């Protein structure tokens, strides 16, 4: 009967896959594995099966999670590999659902996509800034070039000082053209 319960519980959580190799465990309040996709570790002590020792950081996290009524998450090292572990108590049974997965499966994928997104945003921002810079420069330089062309015509042409410069705006170049025309 007990073995049948363990296999039934294992079948319920076998489909829980986190990342590529993450594993779900159903754990009793005393730390006994009640459900897992690997039947050979059913009804064994989780602290010795995956925790390494009862004083490891994972075992201390799990002890706290088994006593707590709130979900908890930690980053810990198991067998020399950094893992993310999440534990959530089940309301009516007193059991805890534990999910453990290598941190590299999450960080590597997210880092690459974040890097790609930030690169696209950076390039788009740079192109936008360069475009705005060219528009502002063109807006500033265009009236100055008109004044320069008119003054060049006066100085290199026949020296006709009756020429009036076009006043198209009320900026500094417009003021320059206005005062030149008054002169």
């Amino acid at each position: 009967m007990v073995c049948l319960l363990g296999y039934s519980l294992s079948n319920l959580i076998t489909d829980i896959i986190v990342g590529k190799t993450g594993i779900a465990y159903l754990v009793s309040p005393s730390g006994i594995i009640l459900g897992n996709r690997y039947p050979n570790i059913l009804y064994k002590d989780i602290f010795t099966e995956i925790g390494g020792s009862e004083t490891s950081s994972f075992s201390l996290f799990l002890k706290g999670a088994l006593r707590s009524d709130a979900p908890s998450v930690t980053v810990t090292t198991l067998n020399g590999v950094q893992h993310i572990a999440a534990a959530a108590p089940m309301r009516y049974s007193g059991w805890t659902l534990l999910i453990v997965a290598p941190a590299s499966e999450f960080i590597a994928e997210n880092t690459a996509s974040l890097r790609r997104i930030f690169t696209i945003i950076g390039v788009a921002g740079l192109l936008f800034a360069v475009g705005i810079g060219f528009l502002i420069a063109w807006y500033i330089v265009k009236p100055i070039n008109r004044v320069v062309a008119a003054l060049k015509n006066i100085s290199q042409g026949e020296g006709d000082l009756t020429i009036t410069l076009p006043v198209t705006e009320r900026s500094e170049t417009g003021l320059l053209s206005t005062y030149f025309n008054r002169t």
Side-chain angles (χ1 to χ4, degrees):
M1 173 72 176
V2 173
C3 223
L4 181 62
L5 176 65
Y7 289 118
S8 297
L9 293 174
S10 294
N11 285 334
L12 290 175
I13 65 170
T14 297
D15 293 336
I16 299 175
I17 299 172
V18 180
K20 294 176 185 169
T21 60
I23 300 173
Y25 301 89
L26 194 57
V27 184
S28 74
S30 61
I32 302 299
I33 301 171
L34 300 175
N36 185 275
R37 80 171 72 154
Y38 302 113
N40 58 327
I41 63 171
L42 286 178
Y43 306 112
K44 294 188 178 177
D45 183 43
I46 195 162
F47 298 107
T48 56
E49 285 299 315
I50 65 169
S53 71
E54 293 210 18
T55 59
S56 69
S57 62
F58 174 76
S59 294
L60 295 175
F61 160 75
L62 188 55
K63 284 179 185 178
L66 291 174
R67 287 190 301 264
S68 176
D69 291 335
S72 53
V73 177
T74 190
V75 177
T76 187
T77 302
L78 295 171
N79 300 324
V81 177
Q82 196 172 34
H83 283 72
I84 297 174
M90 300 180 75
R91 285 188 191 165
Y92 303 111
S93 64
W95 301 334
T96 299
L97 177 64
L98 172 69
I99 298 175
V100 180
S104 62
E105 291 181 9
F106 300 100
I107 295 171
E109 291 173 13
N110 292 337
T111 302
S113 63
L114 283 175
R115 188 178 306 132
R116 208 172 315 121
I117 289 169
F118 283 131
T119 300
I120 291 169
I121 290 171
V123 167
L126 179 65
L127 291 175
F128 181 74
V130 167
I132 294 295
F134 275 118
L135 285 175
I136 291 172
W138 176 79
Y139 182 76
I140 292 171
V141 170
K142 184 179 175 185
I144 293 173
N145 284 338
R146 274 187 289 185
V147 171
V148 167
L151 290 174
K152 182 179 179 183
N153 184 21
I154 292 171
S155 69
Q156 293 179 350
E158 298 175 10
D160 183 13
L161 293 177
T162 60
I163 294 176
T164 59
L165 297 176
V167 179
T168 58
E169 53 195 55
R170 294 187 174 264
S171 66
E172 289 79 6
T173 55
L175 286 173
L176 173 66
S177 297
T178 302
Y179 288 128
F180 178 83
N181 291 339
R182 285 186 189 169
T183 303

